[in-house]
Amino acid sequence: MMNRRDGLTLAGALAAANAVLGSAPSRAAAPMPSAGAAPTVRTPVSFTPPAGACDCHVHVFPDPAKFPFWGGRGYTPPIATADHLLALQKAMGLDRVVIVQPSVYGTDNAATLDGLRQLGPRRARGVAVIGADTTPQALDAMHAAGIRGIRVNLETGGITDPAAAARILDDAVARIQGRPWHLQVYARLPVVAALQERLSALPMPVVFDHFAGAQAAQGVDQPGFAAVLGLVRTGRAYVKISGAYRASDEAPDYPAVAPLARALVAANPERIVWGSDWPHPDSAVLAGRKPIDIAPPMPVDDGRVLNLLVDWVPDEAMRRAILVDNPARLYGF
């Protein structure tokens, strides 16, 4: 039985993770982000993406005067609108996109839902973050709007205790039980490894963000990565080969990430999807920068990053599976 101290600790962690506790958006005036988003496709895409190609991990940050940030956020991003996202899609030759609810809005999915509305059902799907006060009726409305999963962000919430993570996952699973949705998890490898059996038994697909939290410098033999490969190999989990700069600091081509990507694809190419992580929000805690201060995005060349997929996955049929077939199956395009 949890004592009061453990309960308070878990409650705080849940709020930070934006997983199962409600969090009201901040109505206080937020600093106005810089107008417009800087072009991020500085290198032309070197191949022709197949029709229906999908970017499976982006965010939108519209005008905070209309869509306020959560008061408990860890950073404040610049504006990045659905129009900017559409321009990115066209510049990269992509037809579909998945908008993922970022931590800065807590469990208020209004900005994500507005992005889905603007881009339309032929192009866009979404992943939401829900709370204890999210009703079944709200979930129904989200599904109609294009939401196809919920995100449990254990990494940003700082949750590394497998027992606490298990309680959060169990609650999230219960809330979406019976819906044609998936559970998207951002967590560290030791947490994934500790919960491998539990994750394998879930009644819905599991999707891991950003190379499942693997760090490129530690290679394919790093602790916990074998657990991810096992879940992928058996078809129990998908992995987004996204946000290479979160796995490595060897910009711009992140060579040490390639072995991770190749190992995941070799395990099961039908369980891999690709994402840009646009507009590359920088959630790092920096000395002197407050959560309400504008955090400039990370300087990523999206064209160059997409080009890396040809090196990671030389086989054209496998690239098509990763860019088109797998997202279509997972997100219901």
Side-chain angles (χ1 to χ4, degrees):
M1 181 178 293
M2 248 190 303
N3 60 34
R4 182 175 182 274
R5 180 178 178 183
D6 288 342
L8 291 173
T9 300
L10 178 58
L14 289 172
N18 299 320
V20 297
L21 293 184
S23 54
S26 170
R27 298 297 168 182
M32 177 61 70
S34 56
T40 59
V41 183
R42 292 180 286 277
T43 299
V45 176
S46 62
F47 68 104
T48 301
C54 185
D55 183 340
C56 293
H57 197 104
V58 304
H59 311 289
V60 290
F61 303 108
D63 184 352
K66 297 180 180 178
F67 299 94
F69 296 120
W70 175 40
R73 67 189 179 280
Y75 69 100
T76 297
I79 281 179
T81 69
D83 284 341
H84 295 139
L85 175 54
L86 182 58
L88 174 79
Q89 286 255 289
K90 292 180 177 178
M92 298 177 76
L94 304 176
D95 297 320
R96 297 168 176 167
V97 69
V98 178
I99 303 175
V100 177
Q101 170 81 348
S103 63
V104 296
Y105 295 112
T107 59
D108 180 356
N109 293 275
T112 295
L113 294 173
D114 184 69
L116 295 178
R117 179 189 62 78
Q118 290 192 56
L119 294 181
R122 295 186 64 180
R123 182 177 291 274
R125 295 289 187 273
V127 177
V129 173
I130 64 174
D133 58 350
T134 306
T135 66
Q137 293 76 19
L139 297 178
D140 291 341
M142 289 182 193
H143 185 83
I147 295 295
R148 292 297 180 267
I150 62 170
R151 190 186 198 199
V152 177
N153 190 339
L154 302 173
E155 178 64 19
T156 299
I159 298 172
T160 58
D161 173 36
R167 290 192 289 272
I168 294 170
L169 292 174
D170 288 348
D171 186 276
V173 168
R175 292 182 185 280
I176 63 171
Q177 186 78 34
R179 297 180 182 277
W181 288 11
H182 65 270
L183 187 67
Q184 181 173 315
V185 178
Y186 188 24
R188 298 183 184 185
L189 282 178
V191 174
V192 174
L195 300 178
Q196 180 179 5
E197 186 174 342
R198 192 186 222 98
L199 292 166
S200 181
L202 292 182
M204 70 275 296
V206 176
V207 182
F208 294 117
D209 285 357
H210 309 323
F211 293 89
Q215 294 301 301
Q218 299 179 36
V220 297
D221 295 323
Q222 61 189 286
F225 194 61
V228 173
L229 291 176
L231 288 166
V232 170
R233 188 175 295 112
T234 58
R236 299 305 303 163
Y238 288 77
V239 175
K240 294 184 180 185
I241 48 175
S242 59
Y245 51 89
R246 301 191 185 280
S248 169
D249 58 4
E250 296 180 305
D253 292 327
Y254 314 101
V257 171
L260 299 180
R262 291 167 186 155
L264 289 165
V265 173
N268 190 345
E270 293 185 357
R271 290 298 182 268
I272 308 301
V273 295
W274 178 87
S276 67
D277 196 30
W278 181 92
H280 317 294
D282 184 2
S283 59
V285 177
L286 301 180
R289 188 167 77 187
K290 301 176 183 178
I292 62 171
D293 294 337
I294 302 298
M298 302 182 74
V300 175
D301 180 346
D302 280 306
R304 189 159 184 160
V305 170
L306 180 55
N307 289 342
L308 293 177
L309 189 60
V310 176
D311 176 54
W312 298 346
V313 189
D315 184 84
E316 186 175 356
M318 285 188 180
R319 282 202 308 275
R320 177 183 172 80
I322 291 168
L323 289 172
V324 182
D325 301 334
N326 300 345
R329 180 192 321 117
L330 182 59
Y331 299 104
F333 281 107

